[in-house]
């Protein structure tokens, strides 16, 4: 197995730690993580040596090793004696880690992951909505309703406000299901929704329709209509997935064109 290209082989503008608000350790972890997630360092590739990485990032060995420990904890790399630090198979990557999702939102989307995220939501959230229609307390309903009202009130160009309200709406339903597994998925789903939302902000064409669909889910849960709540949530995710799939298809077309250009050279 050949070593991956040195980090300096593909220079890119890297913000200073102070400007990005991140420590040097976190900046290195983000940059290396994104290089791995984007395929610059593919699975099973050996990373540049510690000395090369320290020189590239102008970092101490302590800062670099802390960054590598972060990546190791997320399943992205593993260190072996006398074999260097190797990228782990992509199946081992913890893509639902909030920080990994944040890194992924800043690079070209992974098409398989985007589609997998939609499929997972279509399985989990309609079932949670059905349970919420049966089990939600008045307090649970108040949380979901407040989140929906915040979605309606948020300006469409205020990404932070829209995202916060949307996450609170879906997380509230998971917790209202009173299923401990679904409730524990709320934090994971919040990170996944953030990833999805960042991908589609420039492509969103269904915002008002999506608001109406959220209202339909809320009403079905409030009226204890279990079948309707499940159906309404499935319809909501179908609408929300249109923009995600559009982004994924656009990225796939870009990749195919790039591959075609390389073949014709």
């Amino acid at each position: 197995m050949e070593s991956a290209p040195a980090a300096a082989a593909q220079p890119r503008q890297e913000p200073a730690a102070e400007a990005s608000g991140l420590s040097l350790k976190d900046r290195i972890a983000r940059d290396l993580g994104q290089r791995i997630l984007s395929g610059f360092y593919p699975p099973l590739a050996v990373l540049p040596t510690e000395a090369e990485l320290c020189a590239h990032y102008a970092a101490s060995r302590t800062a670099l090793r802390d960054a590598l420990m972060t990546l190791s904890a997320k399943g992205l790399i593993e260190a072996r004696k006398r074999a260097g630090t190797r990228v782990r198979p992509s199946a081992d990557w913890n893509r639902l880690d909030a920080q990994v999702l944040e890194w992924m939102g800043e690079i070209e989307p992974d098409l398989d992951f985007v589609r997998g995220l939609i499929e997972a939501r279509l399985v989990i959230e309609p079932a949670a909505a059905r349970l919420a229609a049966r089990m939600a307390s008045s307090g649970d309903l108040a949380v979901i309703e407040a989140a929906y009202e915040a979605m309606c009130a948020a300006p469409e160009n205020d990404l932070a406000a829209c995202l916060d309200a949307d996450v609170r709406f879906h997380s509230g339903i998971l917790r209202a299901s009173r299923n401990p597994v679904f409730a524990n998925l709320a934090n994971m789903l919040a990170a996944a929704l953030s990833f999805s939302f960042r991908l589609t902000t420039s492509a969103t064409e269904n915002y008002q329709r999506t608001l109406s669909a959220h209202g339909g889910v809320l009403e079905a849960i409030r009226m204890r209509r279990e079948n309707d709540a499940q159906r309404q949530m499935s319809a909501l995710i179908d609408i929300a997935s249109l923009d995600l799939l559009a982004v994924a298809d656009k990225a796939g077309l870009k990749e195919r064109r790039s591959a075609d250009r390389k073949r014709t050279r």
Side-chain angles (χ1 to χ4, degrees):
M1 178 64 63
E2 296 181 0
S3 297
Q10 185 179 344
R12 67 194 229 181
Q13 189 67 31
E14 292 177 328
E18 296 82 358
S20 66
L22 299 174
S23 67
L24 180 58
K25 169 187 76 81
D26 289 338
R27 180 165 59 90
I28 295 170
R30 180 187 66 183
D31 188 68
L32 284 175
Q34 288 179 332
R35 288 174 184 266
I36 292 168
L37 293 164
S38 67
F40 180 66
Y41 295 139
L44 304 182
V46 177
L47 295 185
T49 66
E50 188 175 90
E52 289 172 328
L53 290 172
C54 284
H56 177 67
Y57 292 109
S60 67
R61 290 181 182 272
T62 299
L64 177 66
R65 287 172 181 173
D66 285 346
L68 294 178
M69 286 179 62
T70 296
L71 297 178
S72 179
K74 299 179 188 304
L76 297 178
I77 61 172
E78 61 180 349
R80 296 179 179 176
K81 287 185 177 180
R82 295 184 294 276
T85 300
R86 187 183 303 273
V87 179
R88 296 180 65 176
S90 59
D92 295 340
W93 300 349
N94 185 4
R95 296 176 196 255
L96 293 179
D97 176 271
Q99 203 168 33
V100 172
L101 284 166
E102 181 181 346
W103 297 340
M104 290 174 65
E106 297 170 357
I107 61 178
E108 288 293 327
D110 181 323
L111 308 188
D112 289 337
F113 178 77
V114 169
R115 294 187 180 97
L117 179 59
I118 293 169
E119 291 168 357
R121 291 188 64 195
L122 279 169
V123 171
I124 295 168
E125 293 193 71
R130 181 185 183 90
L131 284 172
R134 183 193 314 164
M135 304 296 295
S137 67
S138 58
D140 294 328
L141 291 172
V143 169
I144 300 168
E145 185 171 7
Y148 174 66
E149 290 175 352
M151 288 184 68
C152 294
E156 290 184 37
N157 61 355
D158 189 340
L159 172 59
C162 292
L163 174 58
D164 176 70
D166 199 9
V167 167
R168 284 193 285 120
F169 182 90
H170 290 274
S171 297
I173 291 173
L174 286 171
R175 295 189 175 98
S177 72
R178 298 295 169 179
N179 179 297
V181 176
F182 286 168
N184 285 333
L185 288 174
N187 290 335
M188 176 275 288
L189 180 67
L193 279 173
S194 298
F195 167 79
S196 303
F197 208 93
R198 282 193 297 271
L199 277 183
T200 58
T201 44
S202 61
T204 298
E205 299 174 351
N206 304 302
Y207 188 78
Q208 292 301 325
R209 188 179 171 202
T210 300
L211 280 180
S212 176
H214 280 81
V217 172
L218 169 61
E219 185 64 15
I221 292 174
R222 182 162 45 200
M223 299 304 294
R224 308 293 182 182
R225 299 195 299 261
E226 296 180 28
N227 291 338
D228 192 31
Q230 183 170 3
R231 181 183 60 79
Q232 293 273 9
M233 180 61 84
S234 294
L236 167 58
I237 297 173
D238 281 339
I239 296 169
S241 71
L242 291 177
D243 288 334
L244 261 182
L245 290 174
V247 170
D249 290 342
K250 183 177 179 181
L253 178 61
K254 182 178 178 181
E255 288 180 0
R256 289 192 295 273
R257 286 175 175 171
S258 177
D260 289 342
R261 284 195 297 270
K262 289 179 181 178
R263 282 196 296 268
T264 57
R265 287 176 182 172

